[in-house]
Amino acid sequence: KDIVKHFNLKSGDKFLDVGCAKGFLVKDMLALGIDAYGLDISEYAIKNCEPEVIGRLHIGTADSLPFSDHSFNAVFSKDTLHDLEKDRCIKAIKEIQRLSPGNGFIQVDSYKTQEEKEVFSRWVLTASTHYFPNEWEDIFKYCGYTGDWYWTIH
């Protein structure tokens, strides 16, 4: 409900979850009347999704979204893009901007201190691209990204 409110979505508006896994957010958005879709790199996740989202989840990568320009009212990506190498991460941010200019939400791994960065670097399993918040902001500006963002602080 918070996402619907934040993006002022109405029944029938189109929503995309990039890094959707098994599509739980897609299912929740559908229940609210939103025309929701998801994309994930995991064939396993897509093949094992719940019945309500079959046909709405696509296998693919965030840096090459198989949808037309401006085709969504909102695009959401939480804790996914940082798993890509920097050039692919930049492409993915630009892809989200392409699909829904000004109506994106991206959450990525970050840290606020050098100590947090060192701890994060010792245990990180999947994040290939990670920065301090101000460095992420520079990347968003570089990409021309006009949506919202937030951090998963470690």
Side-chain angles (χ1 to χ4, degrees), residues 13-152:
D13 280 353
K14 290 182 76 175
F15 174 86
L16 177 65
D17 181 8
V18 177
C20 68
K22 291 184 177 183
F24 296 114
L25 179 58
V26 172
K27 180 181 174 183
D28 290 345
M29 296 299 277
L30 287 169
L32 296 171
I34 305 303
D35 188 16
Y37 299 87
L39 179 131
D40 201 276
I41 197 167
S42 171
E43 189 175 328
Y44 172 83
I46 304 301
K47 285 184 175 181
N48 291 281
C49 66
E50 295 194 37
E52 296 89 343
V53 297
I54 290 174
R56 292 184 167 274
L57 306 185
H58 304 273
I59 296 172
T61 62
D63 60 337
S64 182
L65 298 173
F67 306 101
S68 303
D69 294 358
H70 308 275
S71 56
F72 290 91
N73 299 94
V75 177
F76 183 90
S77 183
K78 183 177 182 298
D79 296 332
T80 297
L81 301 189
H82 53 241
D83 290 343
L84 302 170
E85 295 294 330
K86 183 179 179 181
D87 334 349
R88 293 184 66 208
C89 182
I90 287 170
K91 284 182 183 178
I93 295 166
K94 289 178 179 181
E95 282 287 272
I96 289 171
Q97 177 69 19
R98 178 181 69 78
L99 295 185
S100 187
N103 282 324
F105 178 84
I106 297 171
Q107 186 164 331
V108 288
D109 280 346
S110 191
Y111 26 75
K112 292 183 178 175
T113 66
Q114 188 60 39
E115 293 78 25
E116 288 177 350
K117 178 182 179 180
E118 289 168 12
V119 169
F120 175 80
S121 295
R122 283 196 300 271
W123 66 261
V124 65
L125 298 176
T126 60
S128 297
T129 302
H130 47 89
Y131 298 103
F132 289 98
N134 64 309
E135 294 170 309
W136 274 117
E137 289 173 354
D138 289 344
I139 288 175
F140 292 139
K141 285 179 195 169
Y142 171 79
C143 293
Y145 178 70
T146 57
D148 299 319
W149 59 79
Y150 200 68
W151 328 112
T152 299

